[in-house]
């Protein structure tokens, strides 16, 4: 077996071991890959991982075979580059790097410019024509080598450099001249000799073997051992060593350096894109000290720039680069981000990797490459990050516009909007009706603010997390939202607002960027989204490849239309309580709550029935032909109670009941932990007349819409917060009874299902029993996360951020499902539910239904559908397709 | 195989099938059992279950063999009684009853007096000397037989009786004379003939076979089928039929009837105990129309009664009864509650069963019987209901005293107390310091009321359930408590109280009975508990037989002493937060909470350190040599914040911070669902300095007490509300670090453990991982129930009662562990925890640790100990012993 593999030059890649990273390490295998497809990679060689282990077991000694093989490989490099290692006239310089199977902190990193000594430095200076460059390279080499190979204290060298600059009155390294560096080299060598007891090695072969030994030994360093233990990496893997010829782009006017993309990373267009600099090193392009030049003539002319493009200035190297672009895309089948250097007219590739791109470019490239036949549809689908689609569906801020940033909150709902500050929902509605754009600013929002959130262009809250009420509702409505902006402080009585140290009045204009969480003063221009043809094409492909259905969480006809436009295949969660907050109804709702007995409740419910029926009819018309899951009333009743004195007084008049009585009733309804209180099906059990009214409204509306013709909807009546089979049994019987009554009255029978949310740990554990009463389960992973983790979403702000910072949770568990914990409950409930009722329909309607990682988990446990807020429907479609493709692999 | 089995008289019980209830049914087997040990049971016979099935499969026809066997058995009864069936002079009457393997609603119940007809009724009248009795018996027989055998409408007979009474101007049946009954019999027979189309059967054999057929056929009645389906009883079990001679205690002065206990059921003493009446029926003893007489001469004399005892009046029958008592105790090895009848000088046993008894009697009998050798220790342990011990440990109301009951709440903590009404905790403390007995009355209590609860003799709340704050704390302190008394309404501003329609002022005296939930006006005398020697004896036996340890939940030295006195083997839960509410400390606590940064918090914590150290030292001294589990701070910080304006003002002065600032901070700390908020280990993660102070206090106190000599305690530091391994890892490291610091400072090293509560579903699911950081798990089943079921204990009052009523939960899941749901989590966590850390110590410290059914579950899943509030420690010791004995079976 070979101990060393060559790459570059005329190397032969026929031995499959060379591209096997268990043999040549990650870096070595990659270099062989690039060189193997004909890229001009600086030549070099890789010593195998096996050799490192044999070196260590042999008691840190090189085998004769290795010494011979390295000598042969060095000759290969010399041949390929046309220089000799240690040549006093024109020396070959090399880099030495470690390269384990995976990238690993604790390993020796890099030694550059190896091969320099007191003699070869002069050759380099003469040959490059840059004396300063040569001496700077030499002092860098001594510094690096002393640090990583000789393990001397690097502080000593840094100190010497600082003193040298001080002595000369310099502030930066750039001011150091050739002879300054030369003098410093002398001092460095003295330091080495003092510290080490012997001089800095002048023999280039001794330098090389020293570096190789250092890489080998670093496998057994303490840091490497700790890292291996923490990451379960076996000590038996060993590390490879890569020795590679140095190339320099700063060797005069025939040298250059640059970065390039094989396609335009911001638009996705198929044009070469990049920047370069003549006579420069890689850092110069990035550092921005010199203005980089365009790569192509067309680009230069389009920009009206004077400095020549690479196409014009170095036509041969450019031609070679163009050939490389083609090679790369054909080989890697993706847009590549590359670094290159031209050394004295010769192109060298230093790195290639898949390039980062904007959402728009990702979409276009995926579709284009599939059309070009470069990739198949499946790959195109996997190529686009579903979350990136969010950018495409909302207006964004003009990236060129100026921003007067006041502060930052959480990027709670994407999109951008400007408008006048309003401090309450009623004002928001009022001003919006006057055709003014408004931004609703609240400490936090509550269900009572819904009409104001609808009226506003954007929502800003001082408190609450990514899954606070404001965030969830805003995402559902597609409104941009910045939440938890702690810099915001509201003085409601003065109708003013502080953001950081700036004061605003109600009516002043601000701008929100929901994608970054930034809050800006004044109006910042926005760009409307372009849903180009590529979007539709990719969505079609995704739909062909996904197994799970995608529904939406929606309760207004507007939201339903939006979601259907985005491809929703039904409603997975229609929250009926939002309908109760409507200004025209809240007094009937309050009358119901405050009624002293059942008959009083029934009278109030009788007033609500036609309203609810109207709501459902409108939704059923919009969703015609699709299933609609309607959840019966869920929140605790006190959420509907008035809180302000005016509201109590209004209610007192309309009900002819004293304010004191009302306040006492409201206080009686108060709960310490409403999340765990008298809500969900507990309302249905204790006040069955409420669920009866809702069931009647659903079935009457379904009959009404069916009577109008068109495909009937299939109502799926969902009972919330079930923990026991008996609860569901009682309420399923209630719904069935009402359905039968309505069907008899209407002379029409419709299909419908009764099922339940699985949103309590007990429900998940008892799913086998509960499934005896259920035609479907919908996982309410918001509440399931709250209860399983014992974390109130509304209160988590104070500790969830530090928790994620400390790695206690990898991500906010309300954003991405806690698969380890909550996931166990979902999986177990799915299994037990199916064991009892094999055809039970399983879906998810928590916020996680729009999160790609959570969707992948849903695919894994075999759910039938996910349900997401309208603007997340396309994300869910794509994520579901990706999950299906990945699980098929 | 026999179709009929005889009992009584000279019957032979050698066929084991006769005592097998699958053959002779529950009742038949029991009759054979009693008769078999020589009890004078009225003779009779049992037709086997097999015959009922064969009758039904044969198309409702009797086999010839059955007819012959029944005839033979009837002859046996006639012989035994000395009367003949259908004899016109002295007829044998029988009862016919069904008797399935288990008692079963829907089956034919009983026909009495079968054998009466127009002729035999005269014989009965002549022979008994009671014409009225005979005709009344006959009309009852017609009524019952027509109802259950002939299936005629029983309303017709009742109506005829009502008319008969009206016609005669009678108000009650008692006024009916012999000839009135005789006339009614005529009318009844007319009704039967009209309804049935043929006359009431006069042939006594036809009567008998009709009744037997009715029993057989009732096995296939709709009600029986429904019951079988609901209770999973196979149709193939069938039912037996029991035919038994009637006996009458009302046949003159040589007849009598009575009830008796083999020992005194209220004291447990070994004396015969009972009542009897000459010439009376069983109902007469119970109905209280005549004053029953004493059984023994000694009792009669002791009571100074005139009417003769049975011992004196019927020495022979009494002698026979005494022989029966001995037989019964020897056979059943338990105190028996019997019903007997003496018919014309002859004693008949109608029933025997294990007798109900007071807690005190249960204890004494169990110990006595074991001492007598009647039962073994194991049986003695199993004989006493652990919950009954509660009565013995608390004062009780004098049962003879008058009670002016005002209303009733939940029996939240046992015991009885009288005292002056006080409406707040400060007043309670103030008046108590003046040596007045007070009852603290609150809408509900909060941690701020603790000092008042300590000061009070009893606690009454208008809201809150069996596991509300008031209930839990009161049980822990051993104070009687009545909670959730909805009839109580408090007007704090007027310092008055309404209970139902009565008004009270602060200072008026009321009495609470925590065992029944009754609230009484004025002072009701109480009886102090006597912890007789039997108590200690039984507890010792229990301790020898239990596997699990029993610890206590306690945090004051008083509670610790009480618990240790009751046999606690350590502390399972010491809640440190209760110490923070102390008046002398709360300002330091508040200063800590309101501090703007860590250094401010540390300064305040520094003031608390010596106080906490003192608390722990005192507890460690009390619990010397035992393990003490101390839970670090758990509740949300805002619980410590002031709520009243005066408190804010006081705090504002002491901290020199504006009231507005304080109120804003308090509002910022407000949480929507504090139960799921910033509490438990989340405080330790975000404010590590709090847990550092507490850990330091624990270890310094442990060193201090150890330095004083005596057995050192083993502190077990418990981290609350853990959901992830990482939380515990971070905090375990913190505790270990502080321990090392303290041990270094003190020059002493002590054993200690760090472990965690398992009180969140996620913690249970992830127990395998969490166990890697834990030396013990303590199941916090209160919070685990809250989160698994999604039910806030404080808010459950409004729906939990209807839930239990509707059978949604069999019991209040906060009182008795929800084994189906929450139990799964406990079992799974125990398994997974042990799989990772085989020697992990497992305990329970929720309220369920004092509930016998929950304790049995803990035994089943193999927990190492249970921890209960001090007054529940004896209950837990006994319940743990019973659980161990039962699981060994």
């Amino acid at each position: 077996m070979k101990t060393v593999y060559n790459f570059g030059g005329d190397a032969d890649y026929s031995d499959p071991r060379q591209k096997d990273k268990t043999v040549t390490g990650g870096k070595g295998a990659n270099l062989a890959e690039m060189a193997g497809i004909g890229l001009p990679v600086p030549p070099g060689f890789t010593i195998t991982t096996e050799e490192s282990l044999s070196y260590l077991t042999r008691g840190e000694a090189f085998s004769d075979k290795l010494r011979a093989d390295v000598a042969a490989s060095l000759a290969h490099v010399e041949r390929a580059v046309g220089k000799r290692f240690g040549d006093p006239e024109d020396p070959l310089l090399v880099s030495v790097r470690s390269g384990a199977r995976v990238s690993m902190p604790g390993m020796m990193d890099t030694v550059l410019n190896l091969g320099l000594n007191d003699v070869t430095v002069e050759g380099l200076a003469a040959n490059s024509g840059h004396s300063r460059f040569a001496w700077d390279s030499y002092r860098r080499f001594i510094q690096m080598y002393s640090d990583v190979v000789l393990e001397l204290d690097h502080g000593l060298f840094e100190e010497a450099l600082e003193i040298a600059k001080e002595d000369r009155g310099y502030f930066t390294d750039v001011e150091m001249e050739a002879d300054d560096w030369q003098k410093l080299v002398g001092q460095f060598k003295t330091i080495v000799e003092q510290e080490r007891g012997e001089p800095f090695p002048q023999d280039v072969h001794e330098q090389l073997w020293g570096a190789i030994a250092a890489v080998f030994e670093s496998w057994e360093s303490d840091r490497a051992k700790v890292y291996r233990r923490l990451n379960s990496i076996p000590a038996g893997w060993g590390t490879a060593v890569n020795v590679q010829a140095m190339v320099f782009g700063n060797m005069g006017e025939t040298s250059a350096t640059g970065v390039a993309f094989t396609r335009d990373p911001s638009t996705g267009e198929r044009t070469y894109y990049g920047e370069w600099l003549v006579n420069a090193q890689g850092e110069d392009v990035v550092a921005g000290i010199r203005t980089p030049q365009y790569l192509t003539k067309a680009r230069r002319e389009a920009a009206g720039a004077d400095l020549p493009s690479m196409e014009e200035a170095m036509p041969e190297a450019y031609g070679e680069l163009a050939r490389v672009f083609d090679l790369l895309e054909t080989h890697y089948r993706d847009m590549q981000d590359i670094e290159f250097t031209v050394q004295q007219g010769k192109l060298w590739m230093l790195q290639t990797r898949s390039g980062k791109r904007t959402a728009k470019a990702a979409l276009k490239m995926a579709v284009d490459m599939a059309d070009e036949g470069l990739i198949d549809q499946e790959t195109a689908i996997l190529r686009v990050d579903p979350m990136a689609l969010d950018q495409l569906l909302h207006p964004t801020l003009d990236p060129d516009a100026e921003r007067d940033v006041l502060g930052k909150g959480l990027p709670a709902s994407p999109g951008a909007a400007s408008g006048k500050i309003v401090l309450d929902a009623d004002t928001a509605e009022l001003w919006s009706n006057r055709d003014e754009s408004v931004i609703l600013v609240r400490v936090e929002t509550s269900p009572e603010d819904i009409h104001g959130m609808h009226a506003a262009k954007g929502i800003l809250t001082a408190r609450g997390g990514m899954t606070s009420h404001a965030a969830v509702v805003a995402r559902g409505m597609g409104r941009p939202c910045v939440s938890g902006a702690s810099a915001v402080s509201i003085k409601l009585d003065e109708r003013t607002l502080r953001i950081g140290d700036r004061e605003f009045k109600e009516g002043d204009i601000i701008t929100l960027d929901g994608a970054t969480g930034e809050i800006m003063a004044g109006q910042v221009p926005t760009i409307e989204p372009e849903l180009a043809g590529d979007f539709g094409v990719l969505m079609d492909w995704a739909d062909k490849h996904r197994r799970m259905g995608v529904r939406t969480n929606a309760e207004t006809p507007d939201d339903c239309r939006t979601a259907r436009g985005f491809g929703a295949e039904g409603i997975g969660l229609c929250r009926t309580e939002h309908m109760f907050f409507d200004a025209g109804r809240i007094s009937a709702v309050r009358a119901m709550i405050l009624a002293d007995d059942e008959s009083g409740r029934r009278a109030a419910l009788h007033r609500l029935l036609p309203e609810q029926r109207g709501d459902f009819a409108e939704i059923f018309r919009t969703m015609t032909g699709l299933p609609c899951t309607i959840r019966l009333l869920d929140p605790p009743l006190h959420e509907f109670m008035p809180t302000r004195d005016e509201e109590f007084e209004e209610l007192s008049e309309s009900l002819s009941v004293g304010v004191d009585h009302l306040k006492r009733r409201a206080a009686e309804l108060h709960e310490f932990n409403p999340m765990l209180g008298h809500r969900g099906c507990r309302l249905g059990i204790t006040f069955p007349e409420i669920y009866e009214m809702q069931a009647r409204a659903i079935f009457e509306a379904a009959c009404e819409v069916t009577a109008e013709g068109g495909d009937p909807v299939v109502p799926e009546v969902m009972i919330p917060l079930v923990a026991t089979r008996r609860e569901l049994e009682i309420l399923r019987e209630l719904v069935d009874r009402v359905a039968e009554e309505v069907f008899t009255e209407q002379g029409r029978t419709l299909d419908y299902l009764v099922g339940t949310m699985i949103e309590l740990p007990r429900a998940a554990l008892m799913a086998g029993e509960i499934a005896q009463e259920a035609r479907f389960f919908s996982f309410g992973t918001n509440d399931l996360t709250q209860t399983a983790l014992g974390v109130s979403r509304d209160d988590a702000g104070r500790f969830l951020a530090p928790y994620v910072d400390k790695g206690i949770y990898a991500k906010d568990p309300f954003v991405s499902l806690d698969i380890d914990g909550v996931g166990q409950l979902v999986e177990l409930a799915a299994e037990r539910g199916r064991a009892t009722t094999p055809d039970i329909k399983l879906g998810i309607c928590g916020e996680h239904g729009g999160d790609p990682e959570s969707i992948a988990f849903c695919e894994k446990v075999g759910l039938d559908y996910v349900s997401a807020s309208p603007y997340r429907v396309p994300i869910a479609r794509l994520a579901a397709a990706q999950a299906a493709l990945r699980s098929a692999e």
Side-chain angles (χ1 to χ4, degrees), chain A:
Chain A
M1 281 192 305
K2 295 178 94 165
T3 61
V4 181
Y5 287 94
N6 298 335
F7 55 81
D10 58 357
D12 160 30
Y13 306 100
S14 59
D15 185 341
R17 278 172 34 95
Q18 186 169 6
K19 288 177 189 165
D20 176 354
K21 64 185 178 178
T22 67
V23 177
T24 53
K27 198 172 287 153
N30 201 277
L31 286 164
E33 177 88 20
M34 286 202 287
I37 61 166
L39 296 187
V41 171
F45 57 88
T46 306
I47 305 173
T48 64
T49 54
E50 296 140 358
E51 280 307 299
S52 73
L53 297 170
S54 111
Y55 170 86
L56 292 168
T57 52
R58 196 183 284 115
E60 307 195 344
F62 299 110
S63 68
D64 291 341
K65 175 158 176 23
L66 181 65
R67 288 194 178 273
D69 289 347
V70 166
S73 287
L74 200 57
H76 152 78
V77 179
E78 289 174 334
R79 255 194 330 277
V81 180
K83 297 172 193 275
R84 281 190 314 105
F85 193 50
D87 183 344
E89 304 301 319
D90 185 12
L92 168 68
L93 303 187
V94 297
S95 63
V96 178
R97 291 182 172 93
S98 70
R101 207 183 290 189
V102 294
S103 169
M104 220 178 90
M107 295 298 296
M108 197 200 87
D109 191 21
T110 304
V111 176
L112 297 177
N113 302 326
L114 189 142
L116 283 174
N117 60 21
D118 295 351
V119 178
T120 57
V121 68
E122 303 282 4
L124 181 65
N127 218 285
S128 67
H130 287 78
S131 182
R132 183 186 181 282
F133 153 72
W135 284 102
D136 184 19
S137 299
Y138 189 23
R139 73 91 194 175
R140 283 176 194 269
F141 170 56
I142 298 173
Q143 218 172 334
M144 275 176 133
Y145 195 92
S146 300
D147 179 15
V148 300
V149 178
L150 305 180
E151 296 180 335
L152 305 182
D153 178 1
H154 59 88
L156 298 170
F157 299 92
E158 284 154 19
E159 200 179 5
L161 170 56
E162 285 310 308
I163 291 168
K165 286 194 288 186
E166 260 176 45
D167 286 352
R168 289 164 183 80
Y170 298 162
F171 289 99
T172 64
D173 290 7
V174 177
E175 297 166 78
M176 293 281 283
E177 302 287 345
D179 55 343
D180 296 331
W181 287 128
Q182 187 171 1
K183 288 203 189 87
L184 192 62
V185 163
Q187 288 170 10
F188 277 11
K189 288 197 296 179
T190 311
I191 292 170
V192 172
E193 189 154 4
Q194 278 168 355
E195 294 296 312
R196 190 187 179 216
E198 45 185 313
F200 187 82
Q202 291 292 318
D203 178 345
V204 295
H205 293 281
E206 185 189 339
Q207 290 173 358
L208 178 62
W209 287 105
I212 294 170
V215 172
F216 283 171
E217 287 160 24
S218 70
W219 182 252
E220 290 296 311
S221 71
D222 289 342
R223 275 186 63 211
K225 282 180 181 168
V226 167
Y227 184 86
R228 285 206 295 272
R229 184 168 50 75
L230 292 176
N231 292 274
S232 309
I233 296 173
W237 281 8
T239 180
V241 182
N242 296 289
V243 179
Q244 189 175 22
M246 296 288 301
V247 289
F248 301 98
N250 51 353
M251 282 188 152
E253 294 305 308
T254 59
S255 297
T257 191
V259 295
F261 293 85
T262 56
R263 304 193 182 206
D264 186 327
S266 59
T267 64
E269 277 168 64
R270 197 174 182 183
T271 57
Y272 303 149
Y273 182 95
E275 296 173 329
W276 74 302
L277 275 175
V278 176
N279 194 14
Q281 282 188 306
E283 302 92 274
D284 300 333
V285 180
V286 182
I289 299 168
R290 289 165 58 189
T291 305
Q293 298 156 246
Y294 288 98
L295 213 59
T296 61
K297 183 167 174 244
R299 280 267 177 183
R300 178 186 68 73
E301 287 173 351
D306 292 332
L307 289 169
S309 67
M310 183 176 176
E311 187 175 5
E312 293 156 304
M314 290 189 175
E316 272 175 48
Y318 176 81
E320 174 70 2
L321 188 62
R323 188 186 70 85
V324 163
F325 281 171
D326 292 344
L327 264 176
L328 283 170
E329 283 219 343
T330 310
H331 185 73
Y332 287 101
R333 299 175 189 280
D334 196 5
M335 184 264 273
Q336 295 293 299
D337 168 2
I338 64 173
E339 291 176 25
F340 65 88
T341 284
V342 179
Q343 179 178 310
Q344 295 169 325
K346 163 83 179 137
L347 176 75
W348 295 106
M349 295 295 301
L350 299 184
Q351 179 163 291
T352 186
R353 56 186 172 191
S354 278
K356 290 202 194 308
R357 62 206 75 182
T358 63
K360 192 177 158 191
L363 192 62
K364 180 166 174 53
M365 285 183 209
V367 173
D368 283 356
M369 287 184 189
D371 285 344
E372 292 159 21
L374 200 60
I375 58 177
D376 55 19
Q377 270 186 19
E378 287 82 350
T379 308
I381 291 166
L382 291 168
R383 206 44 88 61
V384 179
D385 173 9
M387 289 308 291
L389 294 184
D390 226 13
Q391 291 178 32
L392 302 180
L393 305 174
H394 298 278
T396 48
L397 289 181
D398 182 345
D400 299 329
E402 272 191 34
R403 303 178 176 207
D404 177 6
V405 176
L406 302 166
K408 212 169 164 183
L410 299 169
S413 176
S418 303
K420 291 186 175 177
I421 294 167
V422 288
L423 299 177
D424 65 71
D426 293 340
T427 309
E429 198 170 43
L430 198 71
W431 292 17
S432 162
N433 288 342
R434 302 193 309 228
D435 271 341
E436 296 190 281
S437 295
V438 297
I439 303 287
L440 179 63
V441 185
R442 302 282 289 163
V443 173
E444 51 210 326
T445 61
S446 74
E448 292 200 323
D449 294 322
I450 298 264
H451 63 292
M453 297 173 77
H454 245 297
K457 298 286 180 208
I459 294 123
L460 169 62
T461 68
R463 278 163 60 176
M466 292 290 288
T467 47
S468 60
H469 178 267
V472 171
V473 173
R475 281 199 292 275
M477 293 178 177
R479 299 285 184 283
C481 173
V482 174
S483 69
S486 52
V488 170
S489 130
I490 299 172
K491 287 194 185 157
L492 256 190
D493 46 349
E494 300 175 9
R495 309 301 287 185
T496 62
L497 184 71
R498 286 191 77 79
I499 307 179
D501 54 2
R502 306 257 297 267
E503 188 103 19
F504 295 86
K505 292 189 304 296
E506 192 163 37
D508 289 348
I509 289 176
I510 56 172
T511 297
L512 303 180
D513 186 345
T516 63
E518 281 177 339
I519 311 155
M520 287 143 281
Q523 179 114 23
V524 181
T526 55
I527 301 171
E528 284 302 305
E530 298 170 50
L531 291 188
D534 295 329
F535 178 81
V537 170
L538 192 80
M539 284 292 113
D540 283 347
W541 293 351
D543 289 348
K544 273 195 290 179
H545 287 87
R546 67 185 156 88
R547 180 191 61 77
M548 289 191 292
V550 174
R551 299 194 189 181
T552 191
N553 300 348
E555 45 263 341
T556 66
D558 262 3
D559 285 348
C560 291
R561 265 185 291 275
T562 304
R564 195 158 193 176
F566 281 142
E569 298 161 317
I571 294 180
L573 175 61
C574 170
R575 301 176 183 87
T576 52
E577 53 268 23
H578 285 185
M579 305 167 180
F580 278 34
F581 286 106
D582 187 285
R585 305 178 191 178
I586 189 74
S587 76
V589 173
R590 288 170 178 167
M592 171 191 81
I593 297 170
L594 295 167
D596 289 325
D597 53 18
E598 188 186 321
S599 68
R601 275 193 298 277
R602 283 196 186 275
L605 286 164
H606 191 70
R607 286 165 54 199
L608 287 169
L609 173 62
E611 305 273 1
Q612 281 253 301
R613 185 174 52 223
D615 294 330
F616 294 139
E618 186 74 9
I619 290 173
F620 291 165
R621 276 183 204 105
T622 310
M623 303 306 285
T624 170
L626 299 176
C628 291
T629 308
I630 294 169
R631 182 175 72 186
L632 301 187
L633 195 67
D634 184 46
L637 293 181
H638 70 72
E639 280 199 8
F640 300 103
M641 287 303 287
T643 50
R644 284 173 300 149
D645 281 347
E646 309 92 84
E647 289 176 317
F648 275 110
E649 278 153 26
E650 266 176 49
L651 188 61
S652 161
E653 266 179 48
S654 82
L655 297 181
S656 309
V657 177
V659 166
D660 283 354
H661 178 82
L662 293 180
K663 286 193 172 171
R664 203 171 62 242
R665 275 292 284 161
E668 280 171 11
L669 285 172
H670 169 263
E671 293 186 312
F672 294 100
N673 296 290
M675 162 67 208
L676 307 177
H678 192 186
R679 53 170 285 230
C681 70
R682 297 160 194 172
L683 294 173
I685 296 282
T686 48
F687 306 125
E689 53 279 9
I690 299 179
Y691 277 18
E692 281 169 15
M693 181 280 282
Q694 293 198 296
R696 175 164 283 274
I698 291 168
F699 294 118
E700 287 182 353
C703 288
E704 180 182 324
V705 174
T706 308
E708 295 165 4
D711 291 337
V713 296
V714 179
E716 301 186 350
V717 182
M718 182 153 75
I719 311 295
L721 214 71
V722 159
T724 71
R725 176 187 170 180
R726 182 78 186 122
E727 287 169 314
L728 187 57
E729 188 181 24
I730 292 169
L731 296 171
R732 182 188 51 70
E733 284 168 2
L734 177 152
V735 174
D736 286 343
R737 177 169 52 72
V738 173
E740 206 164 319
E741 283 166 20
V742 173
F743 295 159
T744 306
E745 289 160 18
Q746 307 270 333
R748 181 189 297 278
T749 299
L750 297 175
D751 284 341
Y752 70 96
L753 306 178
V754 182
T756 183
M757 304 274 282
I758 299 289
E759 54 185 335
L760 294 174
R762 191 184 198 277
L765 293 164
M766 303 304 286
E769 283 203 13
I770 292 171
Q772 296 185 341
E773 307 294 334
R775 297 282 303 278
F776 65 87
F777 282 170
S778 180
F779 289 98
T781 47
N782 295 350
D783 280 1
L784 194 58
T785 300
Q786 295 199 85
T787 46
L789 274 54
V791 172
S792 160
R793 211 168 60 169
D794 292 328
D795 301 310
R798 238 171 292 158
F799 56 88
L800 211 51
Y803 259 55
V804 173
D805 291 349
K806 285 182 208 281
I808 294 171
Y809 288 112
K811 292 190 168 188
D812 180 337
F814 293 109
V815 172
S816 196
L817 192 74
D818 163 38
I819 289 171
D820 287 348
V822 179
Q824 282 191 54
L825 291 173
V826 173
E827 193 162 6
L828 178 148
E831 272 168 26
R832 294 184 180 178
R834 284 209 166 108
T836 302
T837 306
D839 68 343
I840 195 166
K841 207 191 284 192
L842 301 178
I844 181 174
C845 64
E847 280 285 295
H848 304 100
D851 169 66
E853 276 182 48
S854 311
I855 291 170
F857 171 78
C858 294
E859 173 71 31
K860 186 181 143 256
V861 298
L863 300 196
D864 297 305
Y865 68 87
V866 300
S867 188
S869 56
Y871 278 85
R872 291 241 164 171
V873 166
I875 297 171
R877 286 161 71 194
L878 181 56
Q882 293 184 348
L885 289 170
R886 290 202 180 100
S887 85
E889 268 164 18

